[in-house]
PDB file of all heavy atoms in Angstrom:
ATOM      1  N   GLU A 525      49.022 -70.377  34.548  1.00 63.00           N
ATOM      2  CA  GLU A 525      47.890 -71.170  35.048  1.00 63.00           C
ATOM      3  C   GLU A 525      47.988 -72.691  34.729  1.00 63.00           C
ATOM      4  O   GLU A 525      47.672 -73.473  35.585  1.00 63.00           O
ATOM      5  CB  GLU A 525      46.632 -70.652  34.388  1.00 63.00           C
ATOM      6  CG  GLU A 525      46.249 -69.257  34.782  1.00 63.00           C
ATOM      7  CD  GLU A 525      45.971 -69.120  36.204  1.00 63.00           C
ATOM      8  OE1 GLU A 525      45.552 -70.150  36.822  1.00 63.00           O
ATOM      9  OE2 GLU A 525      46.151 -68.046  36.822  1.00 63.00           O
ATOM     10  N   SER A 526      48.664 -73.017  33.663  1.00 63.00           N
ATOM     11  CA  SER A 526      48.865 -74.488  33.326  1.00 63.00           C
ATOM     12  C   SER A 526      49.784 -75.125  34.315  1.00 63.00           C
ATOM     13  O   SER A 526      49.575 -76.229  34.757  1.00 63.00           O
ATOM     14  CB  SER A 526      49.323 -74.593  31.858  1.00 63.00           C
ATOM     15  OG  SER A 526      50.569 -73.946  31.715  1.00 63.00           O
ATOM     16  N   ALA A 527      50.960 -74.367  34.584  1.00 58.00           N
ATOM     17  CA  ALA A 527      51.814 -74.987  35.537  1.00 58.00           C
ATOM     18  C   ALA A 527      51.291 -75.075  36.902  1.00 58.00           C
ATOM     19  O   ALA A 527      51.524 -75.950  37.725  1.00 58.00           O
ATOM     20  CB  ALA A 527      53.117 -74.069  35.499  1.00 58.00           C
ATOM     21  N   LYS A 528      50.377 -74.050  37.274  1.00 55.00           N
ATOM     22  CA  LYS A 528      49.747 -74.018  38.559  1.00 55.00           C
ATOM     23  C   LYS A 528      48.877 -75.233  38.792  1.00 55.00           C
ATOM     24  O   LYS A 528      48.722 -75.711  39.877  1.00 55.00           O
ATOM     25  CB  LYS A 528      48.983 -72.750  38.652  1.00 55.00           C
ATOM     26  CG  LYS A 528      48.319 -72.478  40.037  1.00 55.00           C
ATOM     27  CD  LYS A 528      47.562 -71.178  40.176  1.00 55.00           C
ATOM     28  CE  LYS A 528      47.025 -70.922  41.488  1.00 55.00           C
ATOM     29  NZ  LYS A 528      46.233 -69.606  41.519  1.00 55.00           N
ATOM     30  N   LYS A 529      48.179 -75.624  37.652  1.00 55.00           N
ATOM     31  CA  LYS A 529      47.270 -76.821  37.718  1.00 55.00           C
ATOM     32  C   LYS A 529      48.130 -78.072  37.977  1.00 55.00           C
ATOM     33  O   LYS A 529      47.632 -78.936  38.781  1.00 55.00           O
ATOM     34  CB  LYS A 529      46.444 -76.955  36.427  1.00 55.00           C
ATOM     35  CG  LYS A 529      45.396 -75.799  36.455  1.00 55.00           C
ATOM     36  CD  LYS A 529      44.599 -75.899  35.090  1.00 55.00           C
ATOM     37  CE  LYS A 529      43.540 -74.853  35.018  1.00 55.00           C
ATOM     38  NZ  LYS A 529      42.804 -75.046  33.650  1.00 55.00           N
ATOM     39  N   LYS A 530      49.278 -78.112  37.445  1.00 55.00           N
ATOM     40  CA  LYS A 530      50.094 -79.290  37.533  1.00 55.00           C
ATOM     41  C   LYS A 530      50.743 -79.462  38.936  1.00 55.00           C
ATOM     42  O   LYS A 530      50.710 -80.411  39.484  1.00 55.00           O
ATOM     43  CB  LYS A 530      51.171 -79.373  36.484  1.00 55.00           C
ATOM     44  CG  LYS A 530      50.609 -79.556  35.004  1.00 55.00           C
ATOM     45  CD  LYS A 530      51.792 -79.572  34.030  1.00 55.00           C
ATOM     46  CE  LYS A 530      51.237 -79.717  32.574  1.00 55.00           C
ATOM     47  NZ  LYS A 530      52.367 -79.603  31.627  1.00 55.00           N
ATOM     48  N   LYS A 531      51.309 -78.329  39.426  1.00 55.00           N
ATOM     49  CA  LYS A 531      52.040 -78.315  40.603  1.00 55.00           C
ATOM     50  C   LYS A 531      51.238 -78.075  41.861  1.00 55.00           C
ATOM     51  O   LYS A 531      51.534 -78.325  42.989  1.00 55.00           O
ATOM     52  CB  LYS A 531      53.078 -77.218  40.584  1.00 55.00           C
ATOM     53  CG  LYS A 531      54.230 -77.447  39.462  1.00 55.00           C
ATOM     54  CD  LYS A 531      55.257 -76.433  39.627  1.00 55.00           C
ATOM     55  CE  LYS A 531      56.359 -76.675  38.505  1.00 55.00           C
ATOM     56  NZ  LYS A 531      57.366 -75.585  38.530  1.00 55.00           N
ATOM     57  N   GLY A 532      49.993 -77.523  41.561  1.00 53.00           N
ATOM     58  CA  GLY A 532      49.108 -77.191  42.697  1.00 53.00           C
ATOM     59  C   GLY A 532      49.426 -75.779  43.188  1.00 53.00           C
ATOM     60  O   GLY A 532      50.201 -75.066  42.662  1.00 53.00           O
ATOM     61  N   PRO A 533      48.725 -75.321  44.262  1.00 54.00           N
ATOM     62  CA  PRO A 533      48.956 -73.974  44.778  1.00 54.00           C
ATOM     63  C   PRO A 533      50.363 -73.738  45.277  1.00 54.00           C
ATOM     64  O   PRO A 533      50.935 -74.591  45.983  1.00 54.00           O
ATOM     65  CB  PRO A 533      47.919 -73.883  45.942  1.00 54.00           C
ATOM     66  CG  PRO A 533      47.630 -75.276  46.345  1.00 54.00           C
ATOM     67  CD  PRO A 533      47.820 -76.068  45.020  1.00 54.00           C
ATOM     68  N   THR A 534      50.930 -72.644  44.976  1.00 59.00           N
ATOM     69  CA  THR A 534      52.318 -72.318  45.407  1.00 59.00           C
ATOM     70  C   THR A 534      52.338 -70.878  46.025  1.00 59.00           C
ATOM     71  O   THR A 534      51.393 -70.151  45.840  1.00 59.00           O
ATOM     72  CB  THR A 534      53.326 -72.355  44.296  1.00 59.00           C
ATOM     73  OG1 THR A 534      52.847 -71.456  43.172  1.00 59.00           O
ATOM     74  CG2 THR A 534      53.409 -73.738  43.658  1.00 59.00           C
ATOM     75  N   GLU A 535      53.337 -70.597  46.793  1.00 64.00           N
ATOM     76  CA  GLU A 535      53.516 -69.298  47.369  1.00 64.00           C
ATOM     77  C   GLU A 535      53.729 -68.238  46.257  1.00 64.00           C
ATOM     78  O   GLU A 535      54.505 -68.589  45.326  1.00 64.00           O
ATOM     79  CB  GLU A 535      54.660 -69.259  48.432  1.00 64.00           C
ATOM     80  CG  GLU A 535      54.261 -70.116  49.662  1.00 64.00           C
ATOM     81  CD  GLU A 535      55.448 -69.928  50.734  1.00 64.00           C
ATOM     82  OE1 GLU A 535      56.301 -69.106  50.498  1.00 64.00           O
ATOM     83  OE2 GLU A 535      55.237 -70.581  51.791  1.00 64.00           O
ATOM     84  N   PRO A 536      53.184 -67.099  46.461  1.00 68.00           N
ATOM     85  CA  PRO A 536      53.393 -66.071  45.359  1.00 68.00           C
ATOM     86  C   PRO A 536      54.788 -65.552  45.337  1.00 68.00           C
ATOM     87  O   PRO A 536      55.508 -65.472  46.449  1.00 68.00           O
ATOM     88  CB  PRO A 536      52.510 -64.881  45.911  1.00 68.00           C
ATOM     89  CG  PRO A 536      52.270 -65.133  47.309  1.00 68.00           C
ATOM     90  CD  PRO A 536      52.262 -66.563  47.548  1.00 68.00           C
ATOM     91  N   GLU A 537      55.374 -65.274  44.237  1.00 79.00           N
ATOM     92  CA  GLU A 537      56.713 -64.890  44.022  1.00 79.00           C
ATOM     93  C   GLU A 537      56.684 -63.327  43.539  1.00 79.00           C
ATOM     94  O   GLU A 537      55.901 -62.944  42.716  1.00 79.00           O
ATOM     95  CB  GLU A 537      57.437 -65.719  43.006  1.00 79.00           C
ATOM     96  CG  GLU A 537      57.635 -67.106  43.360  1.00 79.00           C
ATOM     97  CD  GLU A 537      58.473 -67.944  42.343  1.00 79.00           C
ATOM     98  OE1 GLU A 537      59.170 -67.311  41.609  1.00 79.00           O
ATOM     99  OE2 GLU A 537      58.394 -69.148  42.376  1.00 79.00           O
ATOM    100  N   TYR A 538      57.655 -62.639  44.073  1.00 79.00           N
ATOM    101  CA  TYR A 538      57.769 -61.182  43.704  1.00 79.00           C
ATOM    102  C   TYR A 538      58.743 -61.084  42.488  1.00 79.00           C
ATOM    103  O   TYR A 538      59.677 -61.780  42.405  1.00 79.00           O
ATOM    104  CB  TYR A 538      58.345 -60.432  44.881  1.00 79.00           C
ATOM    105  CG  TYR A 538      57.267 -60.293  45.999  1.00 79.00           C
ATOM    106  CD1 TYR A 538      57.448 -61.029  47.153  1.00 79.00           C
ATOM    107  CD2 TYR A 538      56.237 -59.395  45.947  1.00 79.00           C
ATOM    108  CE1 TYR A 538      56.533 -60.877  48.235  1.00 79.00           C
ATOM    109  CE2 TYR A 538      55.353 -59.269  46.952  1.00 79.00           C
ATOM    110  CZ  TYR A 538      55.444 -60.052  48.123  1.00 79.00           C
ATOM    111  OH  TYR A 538      54.657 -59.850  49.111  1.00 79.00           O
ATOM    112  N   ASP A 539      58.358 -60.094  41.693  1.00 82.00           N
ATOM    113  CA  ASP A 539      59.264 -59.799  40.521  1.00 82.00           C
ATOM    114  C   ASP A 539      60.396 -58.809  41.009  1.00 82.00           C
ATOM    115  O   ASP A 539      60.163 -57.607  40.987  1.00 82.00           O
ATOM    116  CB  ASP A 539      58.428 -59.204  39.405  1.00 82.00           C
ATOM    117  CG  ASP A 539      59.207 -58.958  38.184  1.00 82.00           C
ATOM    118  OD1 ASP A 539      60.428 -59.321  38.120  1.00 82.00           O
ATOM    119  OD2 ASP A 539      58.652 -58.513  37.131  1.00 82.00           O
ATOM    120  N   LEU A 540      61.430 -59.330  41.414  1.00 81.00           N
ATOM    121  CA  LEU A 540      62.530 -58.508  41.961  1.00 81.00           C
ATOM    122  C   LEU A 540      63.188 -57.677  40.920  1.00 81.00           C
ATOM    123  O   LEU A 540      63.992 -56.679  41.262  1.00 81.00           O
ATOM    124  CB  LEU A 540      63.545 -59.377  42.690  1.00 81.00           C
ATOM    125  CG  LEU A 540      63.027 -60.253  43.848  1.00 81.00           C
ATOM    126  CD1 LEU A 540      64.067 -61.013  44.536  1.00 81.00           C
ATOM    127  CD2 LEU A 540      62.371 -59.326  44.912  1.00 81.00           C
ATOM    128  N   ASP A 541      62.982 -57.982  39.639  1.00 82.00           N
ATOM    129  CA  ASP A 541      63.718 -57.233  38.630  1.00 82.00           C
ATOM    130  C   ASP A 541      62.811 -55.991  38.197  1.00 82.00           C
ATOM    131  O   ASP A 541      63.291 -55.118  37.475  1.00 82.00           O
ATOM    132  CB  ASP A 541      63.938 -58.074  37.371  1.00 82.00           C
ATOM    133  CG  ASP A 541      64.903 -59.210  37.713  1.00 82.00           C
ATOM    134  OD1 ASP A 541      65.830 -58.991  38.558  1.00 82.00           O
ATOM    135  OD2 ASP A 541      64.827 -60.293  37.148  1.00 82.00           O
ATOM    136  N   ALA A 542      61.611 -55.927  38.611  1.00 85.00           N
ATOM    137  CA  ALA A 542      60.711 -54.864  38.205  1.00 85.00           C
ATOM    138  C   ALA A 542      61.126 -53.523  38.981  1.00 85.00           C
ATOM    139  O   ALA A 542      61.536 -53.627  40.123  1.00 85.00           O
ATOM    140  CB  ALA A 542      59.250 -55.120  38.509  1.00 85.00           C
ATOM    141  N   PRO A 543      60.965 -52.334  38.299  1.00 88.00           N
ATOM    142  CA  PRO A 543      61.376 -51.102  38.979  1.00 88.00           C
ATOM    143  C   PRO A 543      60.517 -50.838  40.203  1.00 88.00           C
ATOM    144  O   PRO A 543      59.288 -51.090  40.179  1.00 88.00           O
ATOM    145  CB  PRO A 543      61.091 -50.077  37.852  1.00 88.00           C
ATOM    146  CG  PRO A 543      60.218 -50.629  36.906  1.00 88.00           C
ATOM    147  CD  PRO A 543      60.511 -52.179  36.836  1.00 88.00           C
ATOM    148  N   ARG A 544      61.048 -50.355  41.258  1.00 91.00           N
ATOM    149  CA  ARG A 544      60.321 -50.145  42.507  1.00 91.00           C
ATOM    150  C   ARG A 544      59.656 -48.817  42.475  1.00 91.00           C
ATOM    151  O   ARG A 544      60.197 -47.813  41.832  1.00 91.00           O
ATOM    152  CB  ARG A 544      61.338 -50.208  43.717  1.00 91.00           C
ATOM    153  CG  ARG A 544      61.972 -51.474  43.827  1.00 91.00           C
ATOM    154  CD  ARG A 544      61.069 -52.696  44.164  1.00 91.00           C
ATOM    155  NE  ARG A 544      60.521 -52.633  45.427  1.00 91.00           N
ATOM    156  CZ  ARG A 544      61.090 -53.227  46.510  1.00 91.00           C
ATOM    157  NH1 ARG A 544      62.222 -53.889  46.327  1.00 91.00           N
ATOM    158  NH2 ARG A 544      60.575 -53.130  47.669  1.00 91.00           N
ATOM    159  N   VAL A 545      58.539 -48.592  43.170  1.00 91.00           N
ATOM    160  CA  VAL A 545      57.719 -47.374  43.296  1.00 91.00           C
ATOM    161  C   VAL A 545      57.897 -46.883  44.666  1.00 91.00           C
ATOM    162  O   VAL A 545      57.694 -47.622  45.669  1.00 91.00           O
ATOM    163  CB  VAL A 545      56.308 -47.550  42.843  1.00 91.00           C
ATOM    164  CG1 VAL A 545      55.537 -46.258  43.011  1.00 91.00           C
ATOM    165  CG2 VAL A 545      56.198 -48.035  41.463  1.00 91.00           C
ATOM    166  N   ALA A 546      58.251 -45.579  44.805  1.00 92.00           N
ATOM    167  CA  ALA A 546      58.437 -44.974  46.116  1.00 92.00           C
ATOM    168  C   ALA A 546      57.106 -44.780  46.818  1.00 92.00           C
ATOM    169  O   ALA A 546      56.079 -44.467  46.262  1.00 92.00           O
ATOM    170  CB  ALA A 546      59.190 -43.725  45.954  1.00 92.00           C
ATOM    171  N   ASN A 547      57.162 -45.013  48.171  1.00 91.00           N
ATOM    172  CA  ASN A 547      55.952 -44.681  49.004  1.00 91.00           C
ATOM    173  C   ASN A 547      55.958 -43.207  49.372  1.00 91.00           C
ATOM    174  O   ASN A 547      56.871 -42.788  50.044  1.00 91.00           O
ATOM    175  CB  ASN A 547      55.940 -45.507  50.347  1.00 91.00           C
ATOM    176  CG  ASN A 547      54.750 -45.325  51.166  1.00 91.00           C
ATOM    177  OD1 ASN A 547      53.990 -44.400  50.902  1.00 91.00           O
ATOM    178  ND2 ASN A 547      54.662 -46.154  52.119  1.00 91.00           N
ATOM    179  N   PRO A 548      54.928 -42.418  48.870  1.00 89.00           N
ATOM    180  CA  PRO A 548      55.005 -40.932  49.155  1.00 89.00           C
ATOM    181  C   PRO A 548      55.043 -40.568  50.537  1.00 89.00           C
ATOM    182  O   PRO A 548      55.356 -39.418  50.947  1.00 89.00           O
ATOM    183  CB  PRO A 548      53.788 -40.455  48.308  1.00 89.00           C
ATOM    184  CG  PRO A 548      52.935 -41.561  48.323  1.00 89.00           C
ATOM    185  CD  PRO A 548      53.736 -42.775  48.182  1.00 89.00           C
ATOM    186  N   LEU A 549      54.454 -41.363  51.552  1.00 88.00           N
ATOM    187  CA  LEU A 549      54.351 -41.093  52.897  1.00 88.00           C
ATOM    188  C   LEU A 549      55.772 -41.101  53.641  1.00 88.00           C
ATOM    189  O   LEU A 549      55.851 -40.679  54.736  1.00 88.00           O
ATOM    190  CB  LEU A 549      53.439 -42.004  53.597  1.00 88.00           C
ATOM    191  CG  LEU A 549      51.906 -41.920  53.129  1.00 88.00           C
ATOM    192  CD1 LEU A 549      51.110 -42.899  53.865  1.00 88.00           C
ATOM    193  CD2 LEU A 549      51.397 -40.454  53.266  1.00 88.00           C
ATOM    194  N   VAL A 550      56.691 -41.823  52.978  1.00 92.00           N
ATOM    195  CA  VAL A 550      57.991 -42.002  53.733  1.00 92.00           C
ATOM    196  C   VAL A 550      59.218 -41.702  52.830  1.00 92.00           C
ATOM    197  O   VAL A 550      60.296 -41.517  53.354  1.00 92.00           O
ATOM    198  CB  VAL A 550      58.168 -43.457  54.205  1.00 92.00           C
ATOM    199  CG1 VAL A 550      57.218 -43.771  55.252  1.00 92.00           C
ATOM    200  CG2 VAL A 550      58.059 -44.522  52.959  1.00 92.00           C
TER     201      VAL A 550
END
Side-chain angles (χ1 to χ4, degrees):
E525 294 298 331
S526 59
K528 184 178 179 180
K529 290 179 181 179
K530 292 180 181 179
K531 297 181 180 180
T534 57
E535 292 186 2
E537 293 185 23
Y538 290 103
D539 186 0
L540 300 179
D541 296 329
R544 303 294 288 271
V545 177
N547 182 349
L549 296 179
V550 292

